[in-house]
Amino acid sequence: MYNMVLNILKNNFYTISVYTRQMTGTLVILLIARYLSVYDFGLFSSYKSIAVFCLLFANLDYDFYILVSSKANRNEVRLKISLFLLNAFSIIFIIAVGSLFFKIESHILFILVLLRTFFDTTFFNLILPFFQATKKFDTISKINIIYGLTISCIAVFAYINKLSLMQFLILNICAGIINFIQCLYSSKINFLLALTKIKRFFQMLDKTIWSFVGSSLTSYVYTQITALYVAIFLSKEQAALFFAAFTISALTSLFAAARIQKMLPELINKKTNEQIQILKKNCIVMIIAFAFLLLVFGLFGKHLLKLIYLKDYYKNAYFVLIILTFANAIVGIGRIFGNYIAVIGKQAIKVRIKLETSVISVLGLLCLHKFGISGAAIVVAISSIFNTSRYILFSLKIIKINLIKENSDE
């Protein structure tokens, strides 16, 4: 029995580590929401949403592009990562300086949230292709767990001592810098070497990068434009409700992200029949997990909101929680087929599909903006259903064509 459990843990160590990193990230938000005022939590959540939008330009699906275009060649992956990271640093500097010219409640808090968001998400996504290409999942797993435990300790410390938002952010940035150094040491990324090979880097770039860029931009519009709308146009109290529900519903996304990250390299250089089995396996697992989460939130959602945030006010986010959880579940299934489309070199079609979905999102907000956060949540759900349906239909069409082709070649 002990050996069986040990083998299960060993075989799923990376998946567990991703859950640990991402779930502790969610735990952090839940803990600070307990002692921050509704306004401060709304302010932090709004700044985070704006920071995610700004940092979009630091990673326009470059992580997928690095792995797929390099065909998992570690030297090429390492070089591309280093230069895309330098690009990210430049963008962060421009955003930080540029923010000073806009009317913001607290420029210092915004810049701190920007840095925290970079170290927590953007950097990890950009460095991940190296560990995927070299299959060093044990190494990145250990780094993930160390980082997750560190920010959890910081959150508990902040909660017990009722630290200010600024103090909390500074401690998180320090943890991010340590994680940054760990990853660079493990991957042997050399920025100075990268600067001497900029010419070679541009020679390695190909036109397929534009399909990844286009896909990322259009993806943001339909997945994040609603959150950005809430952050900018609604009151901070309403924003607090939306992001409180958004944070809990994100558990669905966390589960999907771990499986998809590990699934991507498995799909590369595989025959269609093998790819079909991988797609089926991941779809079944996700559907079961998503159905369970929806059932739990449906039955106990209001109690969970009160229990987690310790304020009756957050029970008003129940309807939004159910809708966003459903939307995230649909998105998770769609990402499975989105990765398949990218692997087979049809990334360009994703741009068109996401552009169509983006139009639906914008039109939805124009029609339902009077319903506040409830209308915003419904727009997210409608967009998710449309996008995922288009991915699935297109993938099935390509699979059918590829199966006929492979059978005829035999």
Side-chain angles (χ1 to χ4, degrees):
M1 183 66 180
Y2 173 77
N3 290 332
M4 184 178 73
V5 173
L6 194 63
N7 286 331
I8 292 173
L9 292 175
K10 184 177 180 180
N11 293 331
N12 295 278
F13 187 40
Y14 174 69
T15 303
I16 292 170
S17 76
V18 173
Y19 292 158
T20 300
R21 181 185 179 113
Q22 296 181 331
M23 290 183 71
T24 51
T26 302
L27 175 65
V28 167
I29 304 302
L30 299 180
L31 277 176
I32 65 167
R34 282 180 163 225
Y35 77 87
L36 289 178
S37 67
V38 173
Y39 179 85
D40 282 344
F41 180 64
L43 185 72
F44 166 73
S45 300
S46 298
Y47 283 173
K48 183 181 177 184
S49 182
I50 296 170
V52 168
F53 169 72
C54 294
L55 289 172
L56 167 71
F57 300 95
N59 183 23
L60 292 166
D61 269 357
Y62 298 145
D63 50 333
F64 284 146
Y65 170 74
I66 289 169
L67 185 64
V68 175
S69 66
S70 303
K71 299 190 183 301
N73 181 291
R74 70 171 63 193
N75 291 327
E76 188 172 332
V77 166
R78 189 184 283 119
L79 178 58
K80 286 182 177 179
I81 288 174
S82 61
L83 285 158
F84 278 121
L85 279 174
L86 289 174
N87 172 68
F89 296 145
S90 301
I91 289 173
I92 289 172
F93 177 77
I94 293 170
I95 293 169
V97 174
S99 68
L100 300 176
F101 298 95
F102 290 88
K103 186 178 179 180
I104 299 177
E105 288 92 335
S106 173
H107 291 94
I108 294 177
L109 282 179
F110 173 73
I111 292 172
L112 289 176
V113 171
L114 179 70
L115 290 173
R116 178 187 181 276
T117 305
F118 169 75
F119 285 119
D120 194 51
T121 56
T122 308
F123 164 69
F124 176 73
N125 289 334
L126 286 174
I127 202 76
L128 182 60
F130 173 80
F131 298 98
Q132 290 175 315
T134 57
K135 293 185 171 27
K136 290 186 175 181
F137 290 108
D138 281 348
T139 302
I140 193 63
S141 297
K142 293 173 184 175
I143 292 173
N144 280 337
I145 290 174
I146 292 172
Y147 177 77
L149 292 175
T150 302
I151 63 170
S152 294
C153 291
I154 290 173
V156 172
F157 179 77
Y159 178 72
I160 293 173
N161 294 280
K162 301 296 184 288
L163 298 185
S164 68
L165 182 55
M166 183 177 295
Q167 292 171 322
F168 165 76
L169 291 171
I170 290 172
L171 288 176
N172 270 261
I173 291 169
C174 291
I177 291 173
I178 294 172
N179 178 66
F180 176 81
I181 294 171
Q182 284 180 308
C183 289
L184 291 187
Y185 176 79
S186 299
S187 60
K188 302 295 189 296
I189 298 293
N190 188 332
F191 292 111
L192 294 178
L193 182 63
L195 287 172
T196 64
K197 295 186 177 182
I198 290 181
K199 183 177 180 181
R200 181 186 167 192
F201 167 73
F202 283 108
Q203 289 174 342
M204 289 189 297
L205 291 180
D206 56 75
K207 63 181 182 180
T208 61
I209 190 174
W210 296 113
S211 62
F212 285 88
V213 169
S215 176
S216 181
L217 283 171
T218 50
S219 177
Y220 179 85
V221 173
Y222 94 85
T223 59
Q224 298 295 328
I225 196 67
T226 306
L228 193 62
Y229 159 78
V230 171
I232 295 174
F233 295 105
L234 299 186
S235 69
K236 292 298 178 284
E237 289 77 13
Q238 282 287 293
L241 281 180
F242 182 86
F243 290 112
F246 187 88
T247 301
I248 299 177
S249 69
L251 288 172
T252 317
S253 301
L254 300 185
F255 177 78
R259 293 203 66 87
I260 288 167
Q261 286 173 5
K262 197 165 185 181
M263 183 188 77
L264 182 60
E266 292 176 357
L267 287 170
I268 297 175
N269 298 324
K270 291 288 194 304
K271 289 186 177 181
T272 303
N273 280 323
E274 294 175 301
Q275 291 175 330
I276 290 173
Q277 294 306 313
I278 294 171
L279 294 174
K280 281 184 178 179
K281 173 185 172 184
N282 283 277
C283 280
I284 292 171
V285 172
M286 285 198 190
I287 289 172
I288 293 172
F290 295 158
F292 175 75
L293 273 177
L294 272 171
L295 178 63
V296 171
F297 291 163
L299 294 174
F300 309 108
K302 285 189 177 182
H303 301 291
L304 283 171
L305 286 164
K306 171 66 185 299
L307 178 65
I308 291 171
Y309 294 108
L310 296 181
K311 296 181 179 73
D312 284 327
Y313 177 75
Y314 287 107
K315 290 167 70 174
N316 296 319
Y318 173 74
F319 177 75
V320 175
L321 171 63
I322 299 301
I323 298 300
L324 290 180
T325 301
F326 172 76
N328 281 330
I330 299 298
V331 169
I333 295 171
R335 289 179 66 187
I336 294 175
F337 293 92
N339 275 1
Y340 170 74
I341 293 171
V343 166
I344 62 175
K346 300 291 184 179
Q347 183 77 0
I349 193 65
K350 290 173 66 177
V351 178
R352 192 174 76 189
I353 294 173
K354 288 177 179 178
L355 187 59
E356 294 169 1
T357 312
S358 301
V359 172
I360 290 175
S361 296
V362 174
L363 291 176
L365 286 174
L366 290 174
C367 294
L368 300 175
H369 70 279
K370 291 183 179 179
F371 296 95
I373 57 174
S374 296
I378 292 171
V379 169
V380 174
I382 293 172
S383 302
S384 302
I385 292 170
F386 177 83
N387 189 81
T388 295
S389 298
R390 294 281 279 115
Y391 276 9
I392 293 174
L393 291 174
F394 181 79
S395 297
L396 293 177
K397 178 182 175 181
I398 296 299
I399 286 172
K400 184 177 179 180
I401 293 172
N402 288 343
L403 281 175
I404 294 172
K405 183 179 178 181
E406 288 178 8
N407 290 334
S408 63
D409 288 342
E410 292 177 359

